[in-house]
Amino acid sequence: MPELPEVETVRLGLLLALPGEVVSKVEVLRKDSIGHPTSEQFARLLPGHSFEDIERRGKYLLMKLSGGAGLAVHLRMSGRLLLTKKGARASKFLRVRITLKSGLELGFEDMRVFGRLWFVPAGS
C-alpha cells in the first residue's frame, strides 16, 4: 500500500512534468476505477483542461485543472500513476489512460482495482 512518503514522491514527480500539459483524450478501461461522475462523463469532461498544480491531502492527490476544475486520485493499495510516451506498451493493469497534447500519456494502473479517480467540476 502506498504510504504517505510514496504518495508525496508521486506528487513531486508529477509536479515536475504535468503543469501546463493539456488533456486531449481520456480512455476509461475499467469503469469502476472512476469514483465520480460516471466513466462516460469523466472521459467527456476532462479533455481540454490543463494541469495547473498538484497538491496532497493525506493520501489523496489533488490536481488543480484550468477553469477551477480538479482531478482527485486515491491510489489505495496498488494504484500507480505513470507518465509515459504515447503508444508505450501498456500494462495489463492499466485502468485509465489520459493522453496529453504533448504526446505523453498519464496512465492509472491498479492491480487490485481499489484506487479511484474523481473529476471535480469548478465550484465544487
Side-chain angles (χ1 to χ4, degrees):
M1 166 182 263
E3 296 297 334
L4 260 134
E6 286 91 7
V7 176
E8 180 65 9
T9 299
V10 170
R11 184 189 79 81
L12 292 173
L14 292 175
L15 192 57
L16 292 173
L18 277 185
E21 291 282 354
V22 178
V23 177
S24 63
K25 182 180 176 183
V26 175
E27 296 172 78
V28 177
L29 305 171
R30 178 113 184 203
K31 291 182 178 189
D32 53 352
S33 291
I34 305 301
H36 180 80
T38 66
S39 59
E40 293 82 10
Q41 291 171 320
F42 182 90
R44 191 184 78 239
L45 292 169
L46 195 54
H49 285 282
S50 62
F51 290 91
E52 294 183 349
D53 195 15
I54 303 172
E55 298 178 352
R56 181 184 55 77
R57 295 273 193 265
K59 292 186 182 181
Y60 286 86
L61 290 170
L62 305 174
M63 302 180 188
K64 292 184 179 184
L65 303 173
S66 58
L71 176 63
V73 180
H74 197 297
L75 302 174
R76 303 264 164 99
M77 294 183 75
S78 59
R80 300 185 331 157
L81 286 170
L82 301 172
L83 198 58
T84 60
K85 291 182 180 179
K86 185 176 179 181
R89 186 173 161 261
S91 157
K92 67 180 182 178
F93 302 116
L94 183 65
R95 307 304 181 199
V96 178
R97 177 185 294 125
I98 300 171
T99 304
L100 306 172
K101 286 192 177 177
S102 68
L104 295 174
E105 290 180 345
L106 179 63
F108 176 66
E109 294 183 356
D110 192 5
M111 181 173 53
R112 295 185 177 174
V113 197
F114 293 144
R116 295 287 180 272
L117 286 79
W118 296 266
F119 177 79
V120 182
S124 294

